[in-house]
Amino acid sequence: MAWAPEARTAAVRGADGTTLEVLRALESGPRGLVEEEAEERLVRHGENTFPGRRPDSWPRRFARSPRDPFTAVLLVLGLVSAAVAAWGTACVIAVLVLVSCVLRTTGEHRADRSAAALRDLLATTATVRRRATAASPPLTRELPVDQLVPGDVVLLAPGDVVPADLRLLRTTALTVHEAPLTGESAPVEKYVDADGPGDGGSPALPLGHPHLCFQGSSVVSGSGSGVVVATGAHTVLSGALPRAGGRPRQPSPFDRSVNGIAWTLIRFTLLTAPLVLIVSALLRGRGLETLPFAVAVAVGLTPEMLPVVVTTALARGAALLARDGEVIVRRLPALHDLGAVDVLCVDKTGTLTEDRPVLALCEGPDGQADPEVLRWAAVNALWTLHLAELPMPDALDEAILDADGEGADGDHFEKFEGVDALPCGPGRRLSTAVVRPPGDPRFALAARHTLVVKGAPEDVLDRCTRAAGAELGADGRERLARRAGELAAEGLRVLAVARATCPARTRPYTPADERDLDFVGFVALSDAPAPTAAEALAVLARHGVDVKVLTGDHPGTAARVCRELGLAPGEVVTGERIDALADAELARLTARTTVFARCAPEHKARVLRALRAAGHTTGFLGDGVNDLAATVAADVGICPRDGVDVVREAADVVLASKDLTALDRAIVAGRRSTGNIAAYLRIALSSNVGNVIAMLVAGLLLPFLPMLPAQVLVQNLCFDAAQLALAFDRPAPGAHLRPALLRPRALLRFVTGFGLLNAVADLATFGVLALALRSMGAEEGQSAFHAGWFTENLLTQALVMLLLRSGRHAAEGGRVRVPGPIRLATAALAVVGLLLPLSPLGPPLSMTPLPPLYYGLLALVLVVYGLLLAVARRPVRQST
């Protein structure tokens, strides 16, 4: 999903050219369209509504949910178990499949509602100017938003929601709230003059054009009118919607890992069950009577509790995060994906910086630091705010006053008396405060006024004739303009300050009085770094997470913020350069680039897709509609709680605030949960594989089944129940310092090695049983063999749980204490293994008590097995 190219094209088309050229291109005018022409355009362009597809219903999604391989394997085994009347196994598998399908369906259904949430950002009616006929006077009336067409003239007033993308025709102190689109909380000034203040936008970033208003934004103050340049599917807002023919969302790292493990199990299962039948038929002459045993072996090979253990481990981690109210995990598998993140992409504003400017420097005409420049800038800011009756305080003025108030003489501006103010406005990039100096007589003939001017450097310098009392010629102005450009290239917002003294007058002051100024100096402001950002970036780096900045801001601004936070920006890549690169080239570029500036929504999404194509697991933190495409393109979409509803609905993780410290804690929690899941898979699969190998060998050597189907299922039930405790394990020290991912190949290598070791222990037990049961009869010896192997299996599985769990370093010096749930689970396994054959349940399961000699020999086998596990475990790295 990305910002649709046709939406950007329509927006740029409305931005290009003069107002007259745009009106001619749209065949419209300030008096509005004729009704008949508007109806024809409605048929041609369609209604002004969101495109999109109808989301699937919950039942339909549920019917499609058993599509992942692991769920399919469980479902097939359940059906086979029911076919051979193994009803207990069939019921257990049915419950596990149901839980897995419900969790998957609920998460997908909730995420798919995000597109529908965009409709809440729209107005229902708009004030439109139209004419009945070409000769009729224009009439203003309310019109349903879906009836708007390109060329309509829309009137805007405070509180209105912009109903379509507009090119402004007239404005009066118009400010617009664009947070739903950009995530920026400060209102944006809008004006007709395309060459007015601001950066003027760029074709790659239509939101930067101050003479355009976009659907979904709202009017804060002032009024205006504009001509509609885009409706329906061509608006910038609707360009954030997923489209039926668009790029589908790629499987998450969790899905890829689980699917890989599931396909590995499928291959083992498809090989094992038929092999058991063939071996039994060829060597022992058994037929289909061994089918229940073959099914039991296949079930024993499958980690039936995987959905429950995964859900428990992830839910426990999510609950611990939610307990502090800082992080809400909306999709449980996203916690695993968080733990696997090795590249985190963030916006600049509100994440690395606070949403306010701060003073960076003030310097005089000679380029040296001069606090006097700040004092005069503060005089201008104070009296402009007091006298100009602005609709809202200017953030730059407030930052200057805050900085001046922190000085030793912060109250000096109170010595001046305000007389008049000329604020910034449409097409005007400077403000002037007229003040009476302290001690100056109010009504004397010699009374003087001081004009303090502050604004865009080029506009202020054009009005200056002196600098520090000396004449300022063209060369001097050029030198100062060059210095202002250097500061702006460093990512600073530069304001020039000048003043002039003139005789006091009673008439109002006008812009014509802003002349013959004496240049005082420059004040430069930058975005205030977030208090915890530098520390959080350092911690993320120690945890193996590479942070990249994707922003629509000026390249210099983004680079400066990164340097202040200790993040080397390197070469900054802009949206125009991204457009010129093929996907393969972009994938190589993203590996060495930290900052991407002047990014439109589709640029952010392309960067994230390129990172994923290069093998990275990505997270993206954003809060505006312009971040929606990137939120969906990332492996983990993250949104602060105060983000736009549609982005919050699409996100996998919601933060209480845009604080990277809280996000780092969530990443650590995800890695710990993944470690516990990996421990379960290592233990369950290595034990199961070892048992299956031993069963196949025993089937070749013994004239009877090595274990009855009921015994296999009881053993599996005990082991599965005990393994739930692994969800409460404490990972080994340092396990959270690197990305954690379930890697099927690494897991297969681990399981193969330790499975063979487990099979050796089982075969050694066969020898022990043959030695201890020599004096028993055939039938009694068979029951004793079953009991002996049953006991050995549960005891070795308890030993494996202690030695191969995620916090296994506890056995290598006692640095990590074994958690209580694991101690209880392993103790329960040992008790059941030792006592069940001796209990009244033994005979119904065809097990009899064993001679004391067996227990002594079994203890020796277990000691040797434990030593072999400890030796083999040391060089094996954790498989996540």
Side-chain angles (χ1 to χ4, degrees), residues 151-210:
D152 263 328
V153 174
V154 176
L155 307 184
L156 300 175
D160 286 349
V161 176
V162 179
D165 289 354
L166 309 177
R167 167 65 185 257
L168 293 173
L169 303 177
R170 178 193 58 80
T171 61
T172 303
L174 180 64
T175 59
V176 174
H177 189 58
E178 290 185 339
L181 293 163
T182 65
E184 302 287 346
S185 60
V188 179
E189 182 185 0
K190 296 291 183 178
Y191 41 84
V192 176
D193 185 6
D195 297 323
D199 57 25
S202 71
L205 194 64
L207 291 172
H209 291 287

Short mmCIF file of all heavy atoms in Angstrom, two decimals, residues 151-210:
data_model
loop_
_atom_site.label_atom_id
_atom_site.label_comp_id
_atom_site.label_asym_id
_atom_site.label_seq_id
_atom_site.Cartn_x
_atom_site.Cartn_y
_atom_site.Cartn_z
N GLY A 151 -12.97 21.55 -10.24
CA GLY A 151 -13.44 22.83 -10.77
C GLY A 151 -14.42 23.53 -9.86
O GLY A 151 -14.66 24.73 -10.01
N ASP A 152 -15.02 22.81 -8.91
CA ASP A 152 -15.93 23.46 -7.95
C ASP A 152 -15.16 24.44 -7.08
O ASP A 152 -13.98 24.20 -6.73
CB ASP A 152 -16.58 22.41 -7.05
CG ASP A 152 -17.97 22.00 -7.54
OD1 ASP A 152 -18.65 22.86 -8.11
OD2 ASP A 152 -18.35 20.83 -7.35
N VAL A 153 -15.80 25.54 -6.72
CA VAL A 153 -15.22 26.52 -5.82
C VAL A 153 -15.82 26.30 -4.43
O VAL A 153 -17.04 26.38 -4.25
CB VAL A 153 -15.48 27.96 -6.31
CG1 VAL A 153 -14.98 28.97 -5.28
CG2 VAL A 153 -14.81 28.18 -7.66
N VAL A 154 -14.96 26.02 -3.46
CA VAL A 154 -15.37 25.69 -2.09
C VAL A 154 -14.96 26.83 -1.17
O VAL A 154 -13.84 27.35 -1.27
CB VAL A 154 -14.73 24.36 -1.64
CG1 VAL A 154 -15.08 24.06 -0.19
CG2 VAL A 154 -15.18 23.22 -2.54
N LEU A 155 -15.86 27.20 -0.25
CA LEU A 155 -15.58 28.23 0.75
C LEU A 155 -15.21 27.58 2.07
O LEU A 155 -15.84 26.59 2.48
CB LEU A 155 -16.79 29.14 0.93
CG LEU A 155 -17.37 29.78 -0.34
CD1 LEU A 155 -18.52 30.73 0.02
CD2 LEU A 155 -16.29 30.52 -1.12
N LEU A 156 -14.19 28.11 2.73
CA LEU A 156 -13.70 27.55 3.99
C LEU A 156 -13.89 28.55 5.11
O LEU A 156 -13.66 29.75 4.94
CB LEU A 156 -12.22 27.18 3.87
CG LEU A 156 -11.85 26.14 2.79
CD1 LEU A 156 -10.33 25.98 2.72
CD2 LEU A 156 -12.52 24.81 3.07
N ALA A 157 -14.29 28.03 6.28
CA ALA A 157 -14.47 28.85 7.48
C ALA A 157 -13.94 28.07 8.67
O ALA A 157 -13.73 26.86 8.59
CB ALA A 157 -15.95 29.20 7.67
N PRO A 158 -13.70 28.75 9.82
CA PRO A 158 -13.18 28.04 10.99
C PRO A 158 -14.05 26.84 11.37
O PRO A 158 -15.27 26.93 11.40
CB PRO A 158 -13.20 29.11 12.08
CG PRO A 158 -13.04 30.40 11.34
CD PRO A 158 -13.80 30.21 10.06
N GLY A 159 -13.40 25.69 11.64
CA GLY A 159 -14.11 24.48 12.00
C GLY A 159 -14.45 23.58 10.84
O GLY A 159 -14.81 22.42 11.04
N ASP A 160 -14.33 24.08 9.61
CA ASP A 160 -14.66 23.25 8.44
C ASP A 160 -13.60 22.18 8.23
O ASP A 160 -12.40 22.39 8.46
CB ASP A 160 -14.74 24.12 7.17
CG ASP A 160 -16.00 24.96 7.12
OD1 ASP A 160 -16.90 24.71 7.96
OD2 ASP A 160 -16.09 25.84 6.25
N VAL A 161 -14.06 21.02 7.76
CA VAL A 161 -13.15 19.97 7.30
C VAL A 161 -13.01 20.12 5.79
O VAL A 161 -14.01 20.24 5.08
CB VAL A 161 -13.68 18.57 7.66
CG1 VAL A 161 -12.78 17.49 7.07
CG2 VAL A 161 -13.79 18.41 9.16
N VAL A 162 -11.78 20.17 5.31
CA VAL A 162 -11.54 20.36 3.87
C VAL A 162 -12.10 19.15 3.14
O VAL A 162 -11.68 18.01 3.39
CB VAL A 162 -10.04 20.54 3.59
CG1 VAL A 162 -9.79 20.71 2.09
CG2 VAL A 162 -9.50 21.75 4.36
N PRO A 163 -13.04 19.35 2.20
CA PRO A 163 -13.76 18.21 1.61
C PRO A 163 -13.06 17.55 0.43
O PRO A 163 -13.46 16.47 -0.01
CB PRO A 163 -15.07 18.84 1.16
CG PRO A 163 -14.71 20.25 0.81
CD PRO A 163 -13.61 20.65 1.76
N ALA A 164 -12.05 18.20 -0.16
CA ALA A 164 -11.33 17.66 -1.31
C ALA A 164 -9.99 18.38 -1.38
O ALA A 164 -9.71 19.28 -0.58
CB ALA A 164 -12.14 17.87 -2.60
N ASP A 165 -9.14 18.00 -2.30
CA ASP A 165 -7.88 18.72 -2.48
C ASP A 165 -8.16 20.01 -3.23
O ASP A 165 -8.76 20.00 -4.32
CB ASP A 165 -6.89 17.86 -3.25
CG ASP A 165 -6.38 16.69 -2.43
OD1 ASP A 165 -6.72 16.62 -1.23
OD2 ASP A 165 -5.66 15.84 -2.98
N LEU A 166 -7.70 21.15 -2.66
CA LEU A 166 -8.03 22.48 -3.19
C LEU A 166 -6.77 23.25 -3.54
O LEU A 166 -5.75 23.17 -2.84
CB LEU A 166 -8.83 23.29 -2.16
CG LEU A 166 -10.07 22.64 -1.52
CD1 LEU A 166 -10.65 23.59 -0.48
CD2 LEU A 166 -11.10 22.31 -2.58
N ARG A 167 -6.87 24.06 -4.59
CA ARG A 167 -5.89 25.12 -4.86
C ARG A 167 -6.54 26.42 -4.38
O ARG A 167 -7.64 26.79 -4.82
CB ARG A 167 -5.59 25.20 -6.36
CG ARG A 167 -4.82 26.48 -6.79
CD ARG A 167 -3.43 26.55 -6.20
NE ARG A 167 -2.79 27.80 -6.53
CZ ARG A 167 -1.87 27.95 -7.47
NH1 ARG A 167 -1.50 26.90 -8.20
NH2 ARG A 167 -1.30 29.12 -7.69
N LEU A 168 -5.90 27.11 -3.45
CA LEU A 168 -6.50 28.28 -2.82
C LEU A 168 -6.59 29.44 -3.80
O LEU A 168 -5.66 29.71 -4.57
CB LEU A 168 -5.70 28.68 -1.59
CG LEU A 168 -5.74 27.67 -0.43
CD1 LEU A 168 -4.78 28.08 0.68
CD2 LEU A 168 -7.15 27.52 0.12
N LEU A 169 -7.73 30.14 -3.73
CA LEU A 169 -7.97 31.33 -4.55
C LEU A 169 -7.91 32.60 -3.71
O LEU A 169 -7.53 33.65 -4.21
CB LEU A 169 -9.35 31.24 -5.22
CG LEU A 169 -9.60 30.01 -6.10
CD1 LEU A 169 -11.03 30.03 -6.63
CD2 LEU A 169 -8.60 29.95 -7.25
N ARG A 170 -8.33 32.50 -2.47
CA ARG A 170 -8.35 33.67 -1.58
C ARG A 170 -8.21 33.18 -0.15
O ARG A 170 -8.76 32.15 0.23
CB ARG A 170 -9.69 34.41 -1.70
CG ARG A 170 -9.82 35.63 -0.77
CD ARG A 170 -11.25 36.12 -0.73
NE ARG A 170 -12.19 35.10 -0.28
CZ ARG A 170 -12.37 34.78 1.01
NH1 ARG A 170 -11.67 35.39 1.95
NH2 ARG A 170 -13.26 33.85 1.33
N THR A 171 -7.43 33.91 0.65
CA THR A 171 -7.28 33.56 2.06
C THR A 171 -7.26 34.83 2.91
O THR A 171 -6.82 35.89 2.46
CB THR A 171 -5.98 32.79 2.33
OG1 THR A 171 -4.86 33.60 1.97
CG2 THR A 171 -5.94 31.48 1.55
N THR A 172 -7.73 34.69 4.13
CA THR A 172 -7.65 35.75 5.13
C THR A 172 -7.19 35.11 6.43
O THR A 172 -7.98 34.44 7.12
CB THR A 172 -9.00 36.45 5.33
OG1 THR A 172 -9.47 36.97 4.08
CG2 THR A 172 -8.88 37.56 6.36
N ALA A 173 -5.88 35.25 6.73
CA ALA A 173 -5.29 34.68 7.96
C ALA A 173 -5.69 33.22 8.14
O ALA A 173 -6.05 32.77 9.22
CB ALA A 173 -5.71 35.51 9.18
N LEU A 174 -5.61 32.46 7.06
CA LEU A 174 -6.06 31.06 7.08
C LEU A 174 -4.96 30.16 7.66
O LEU A 174 -3.83 30.15 7.19
CB LEU A 174 -6.40 30.61 5.65
CG LEU A 174 -6.90 29.18 5.49
CD1 LEU A 174 -8.23 28.99 6.20
CD2 LEU A 174 -7.01 28.81 4.00
N THR A 175 -5.32 29.40 8.69
CA THR A 175 -4.44 28.36 9.23
C THR A 175 -5.21 27.05 9.26
O THR A 175 -6.40 27.02 9.56
CB THR A 175 -3.96 28.69 10.65
OG1 THR A 175 -5.08 28.85 11.52
CG2 THR A 175 -3.13 29.96 10.66
N VAL A 176 -4.50 25.97 8.94
CA VAL A 176 -5.13 24.66 8.76
C VAL A 176 -4.40 23.63 9.60
O VAL A 176 -3.16 23.64 9.68
CB VAL A 176 -5.12 24.25 7.26
CG1 VAL A 176 -5.65 22.84 7.08
CG2 VAL A 176 -5.95 25.23 6.45
N HIS A 177 -5.16 22.74 10.22
CA HIS A 177 -4.62 21.65 11.03
C HIS A 177 -4.46 20.43 10.12
O HIS A 177 -5.44 19.84 9.68
CB HIS A 177 -5.60 21.36 12.17
CG HIS A 177 -5.06 20.40 13.19
ND1 HIS A 177 -3.90 20.61 13.88
CD2 HIS A 177 -5.54 19.20 13.62
CE1 HIS A 177 -3.70 19.61 14.71
NE2 HIS A 177 -4.66 18.73 14.57
N GLU A 178 -3.20 20.04 9.85
CA GLU A 178 -2.92 18.93 8.94
C GLU A 178 -2.41 17.69 9.65
O GLU A 178 -1.86 16.78 9.03
CB GLU A 178 -1.89 19.36 7.88
CG GLU A 178 -2.44 20.37 6.87
CD GLU A 178 -1.44 20.68 5.77
OE1 GLU A 178 -0.23 20.46 5.99
OE2 GLU A 178 -1.88 21.13 4.70
N ALA A 179 -2.62 17.61 10.97
CA ALA A 179 -2.13 16.45 11.71
C ALA A 179 -2.63 15.12 11.17
O ALA A 179 -1.88 14.14 11.15
CB ALA A 179 -2.49 16.60 13.19
N PRO A 180 -3.91 15.01 10.71
CA PRO A 180 -4.33 13.72 10.15
C PRO A 180 -3.50 13.27 8.96
O PRO A 180 -3.42 12.09 8.67
CB PRO A 180 -5.79 13.98 9.74
CG PRO A 180 -6.25 15.07 10.63
CD PRO A 180 -5.05 15.95 10.80
N LEU A 181 -2.86 14.24 8.28
CA LEU A 181 -2.07 13.90 7.10
C LEU A 181 -0.59 13.79 7.41
O LEU A 181 0.10 12.91 6.90
CB LEU A 181 -2.28 14.95 6.01
CG LEU A 181 -3.68 15.01 5.39
CD1 LEU A 181 -3.86 16.33 4.67
CD2 LEU A 181 -3.87 13.85 4.44
N THR A 182 -0.08 14.69 8.24
CA THR A 182 1.36 14.78 8.45
C THR A 182 1.81 14.35 9.83
O THR A 182 2.99 14.09 10.04
CB THR A 182 1.83 16.23 8.23
OG1 THR A 182 1.23 17.07 9.25
CG2 THR A 182 1.41 16.73 6.86
N GLY A 183 0.90 14.33 10.81
CA GLY A 183 1.30 14.05 12.18
C GLY A 183 1.81 15.26 12.94
O GLY A 183 2.07 15.19 14.13
N GLU A 184 1.97 16.41 12.26
CA GLU A 184 2.45 17.63 12.90
C GLU A 184 1.29 18.29 13.64
O GLU A 184 0.23 18.53 13.07
CB GLU A 184 3.02 18.59 11.86
CG GLU A 184 4.16 18.00 11.03
CD GLU A 184 5.45 17.87 11.81
OE1 GLU A 184 5.53 18.46 12.88
OE2 GLU A 184 6.35 17.17 11.34
N SER A 185 1.54 18.61 14.93
CA SER A 185 0.45 19.15 15.73
C SER A 185 0.22 20.64 15.50
O SER A 185 -0.88 21.14 15.74
CB SER A 185 0.74 18.91 17.22
OG SER A 185 1.95 19.55 17.60
N ALA A 186 1.25 21.37 15.05
CA ALA A 186 1.11 22.81 14.87
C ALA A 186 0.30 23.12 13.61
O ALA A 186 0.54 22.52 12.56
CB ALA A 186 2.48 23.47 14.79
N PRO A 187 -0.65 24.05 13.69
CA PRO A 187 -1.39 24.46 12.48
C PRO A 187 -0.45 25.07 11.45
O PRO A 187 0.59 25.64 11.78
CB PRO A 187 -2.40 25.49 13.01
CG PRO A 187 -2.51 25.20 14.47
CD PRO A 187 -1.16 24.71 14.90
N VAL A 188 -0.84 24.96 10.20
CA VAL A 188 -0.02 25.43 9.09
C VAL A 188 -0.69 26.64 8.45
O VAL A 188 -1.90 26.63 8.21
CB VAL A 188 0.16 24.32 8.03
CG1 VAL A 188 0.99 24.82 6.86
CG2 VAL A 188 0.80 23.09 8.66
N GLU A 189 0.10 27.68 8.21
CA GLU A 189 -0.43 28.87 7.55
C GLU A 189 -0.61 28.59 6.06
O GLU A 189 0.24 27.99 5.41
CB GLU A 189 0.53 30.04 7.76
CG GLU A 189 0.03 31.34 7.14
CD GLU A 189 1.03 32.46 7.25
OE1 GLU A 189 2.12 32.22 7.81
OE2 GLU A 189 0.74 33.56 6.75
N LYS A 190 -1.74 29.01 5.50
CA LYS A 190 -2.03 28.83 4.09
C LYS A 190 -2.25 30.20 3.45
O LYS A 190 -2.84 31.09 4.06
CB LYS A 190 -3.28 27.97 3.89
CG LYS A 190 -3.14 26.54 4.41
CD LYS A 190 -2.16 25.72 3.57
CE LYS A 190 -2.08 24.29 4.04
NZ LYS A 190 -1.16 23.49 3.21
N TYR A 191 -1.80 30.35 2.22
CA TYR A 191 -1.95 31.61 1.51
C TYR A 191 -1.91 31.33 0.01
O TYR A 191 -1.48 30.27 -0.45
CB TYR A 191 -0.84 32.59 1.90
CG TYR A 191 0.51 31.95 2.03
CD1 TYR A 191 1.31 31.76 0.91
CD2 TYR A 191 0.96 31.51 3.27
CE1 TYR A 191 2.53 31.15 1.03
CE2 TYR A 191 2.18 30.90 3.39
CZ TYR A 191 2.98 30.72 2.26
OH TYR A 191 4.19 30.11 2.38
N VAL A 192 -2.35 32.31 -0.74
CA VAL A 192 -2.50 32.13 -2.19
C VAL A 192 -1.17 32.22 -2.90
O VAL A 192 -0.91 31.49 -3.86
CB VAL A 192 -3.48 33.17 -2.76
CG1 VAL A 192 -3.56 33.06 -4.28
CG2 VAL A 192 -4.85 33.00 -2.13
N ASP A 193 -0.30 33.11 -2.45
CA ASP A 193 0.96 33.36 -3.15
C ASP A 193 1.86 32.15 -3.06
O ASP A 193 2.33 31.78 -1.99
CB ASP A 193 1.66 34.58 -2.51
CG ASP A 193 2.93 34.96 -3.27
OD1 ASP A 193 3.18 34.37 -4.33
OD2 ASP A 193 3.64 35.86 -2.79
N ALA A 194 2.15 31.52 -4.19
CA ALA A 194 3.00 30.33 -4.19
C ALA A 194 4.43 30.64 -3.84
O ALA A 194 5.20 29.76 -3.51
CB ALA A 194 2.95 29.64 -5.55
N ASP A 195 4.81 31.91 -3.90
CA ASP A 195 6.19 32.29 -3.60
C ASP A 195 6.31 32.90 -2.22
O ASP A 195 7.27 33.57 -1.90
CB ASP A 195 6.71 33.28 -4.63
CG ASP A 195 6.74 32.67 -6.02
OD1 ASP A 195 7.05 31.48 -6.10
OD2 ASP A 195 6.42 33.38 -6.99
N GLY A 196 5.27 32.68 -1.38
CA GLY A 196 5.29 33.24 -0.05
C GLY A 196 6.20 32.49 0.87
O GLY A 196 7.04 31.72 0.48
N PRO A 197 6.08 32.69 2.20
CA PRO A 197 6.96 32.02 3.14
C PRO A 197 6.77 30.54 3.12
O PRO A 197 5.75 30.01 2.75
CB PRO A 197 6.54 32.62 4.49
CG PRO A 197 5.20 33.18 4.25
CD PRO A 197 5.09 33.55 2.85
N GLY A 198 7.77 29.83 3.56
CA GLY A 198 7.73 28.38 3.52
C GLY A 198 8.70 27.89 2.48
O GLY A 198 9.38 28.62 1.80
N ASP A 199 8.80 26.58 2.38
CA ASP A 199 9.78 26.03 1.46
C ASP A 199 9.24 25.86 0.07
O ASP A 199 9.94 25.46 -0.84
CB ASP A 199 10.31 24.69 1.99
CG ASP A 199 9.20 23.70 2.23
OD1 ASP A 199 8.14 23.83 1.60
OD2 ASP A 199 9.38 22.77 3.02
N GLY A 200 7.95 26.13 -0.14
CA GLY A 200 7.41 26.05 -1.47
C GLY A 200 7.08 24.69 -1.95
O GLY A 200 6.55 24.52 -3.02
N GLY A 201 7.37 23.65 -1.14
CA GLY A 201 7.01 22.28 -1.53
C GLY A 201 7.90 21.78 -2.65
O GLY A 201 8.85 22.41 -3.08
N SER A 202 7.57 20.61 -3.11
CA SER A 202 8.29 19.98 -4.21
C SER A 202 7.39 18.98 -4.87
O SER A 202 6.44 18.52 -4.27
CB SER A 202 9.56 19.29 -3.68
OG SER A 202 9.21 18.15 -2.95
N PRO A 203 7.65 18.65 -6.13
CA PRO A 203 6.82 17.66 -6.80
C PRO A 203 6.76 16.35 -6.06
O PRO A 203 5.79 15.62 -6.16
CB PRO A 203 7.49 17.53 -8.17
CG PRO A 203 8.21 18.82 -8.37
CD PRO A 203 8.66 19.24 -7.03
N ALA A 204 7.83 16.01 -5.33
CA ALA A 204 7.81 14.73 -4.61
C ALA A 204 7.01 14.81 -3.33
O ALA A 204 6.63 13.80 -2.78
CB ALA A 204 9.24 14.30 -4.29
N LEU A 205 6.75 16.00 -2.86
CA LEU A 205 6.09 16.15 -1.57
C LEU A 205 5.00 17.21 -1.66
O LEU A 205 5.18 18.35 -1.28
CB LEU A 205 7.13 16.56 -0.51
CG LEU A 205 6.70 16.44 0.95
CD1 LEU A 205 6.42 14.99 1.31
CD2 LEU A 205 7.76 17.00 1.86
N PRO A 206 3.83 16.87 -2.19
CA PRO A 206 2.77 17.87 -2.38
C PRO A 206 2.34 18.54 -1.09
O PRO A 206 1.89 19.68 -1.11
CB PRO A 206 1.62 17.04 -2.98
CG PRO A 206 2.26 15.83 -3.55
CD PRO A 206 3.45 15.56 -2.73
N LEU A 207 2.49 17.86 0.05
CA LEU A 207 2.05 18.45 1.30
C LEU A 207 2.86 19.70 1.65
O LEU A 207 2.45 20.47 2.52
CB LEU A 207 2.16 17.43 2.43
CG LEU A 207 1.16 16.27 2.36
CD1 LEU A 207 1.48 15.22 3.41
CD2 LEU A 207 -0.26 16.78 2.55
N GLY A 208 4.00 19.91 1.01
CA GLY A 208 4.79 21.08 1.32
C GLY A 208 4.29 22.35 0.68
O GLY A 208 4.81 23.42 0.96
N HIS A 209 3.27 22.28 -0.20
CA HIS A 209 2.79 23.47 -0.89
C HIS A 209 1.84 24.26 0.01
O HIS A 209 0.78 23.76 0.36
CB HIS A 209 2.07 23.09 -2.18
CG HIS A 209 2.99 22.53 -3.23
ND1 HIS A 209 3.88 23.31 -3.93
CD2 HIS A 209 3.17 21.26 -3.68
CE1 HIS A 209 4.56 22.54 -4.78
NE2 HIS A 209 4.15 21.31 -4.65
N PRO A 210 2.18 25.50 0.36
CA PRO A 210 1.31 26.27 1.26
C PRO A 210 0.04 26.78 0.59
O PRO A 210 -0.86 27.24 1.28
CB PRO A 210 2.21 27.43 1.70
CG PRO A 210 3.18 27.60 0.57
CD PRO A 210 3.42 26.22 0.03
#
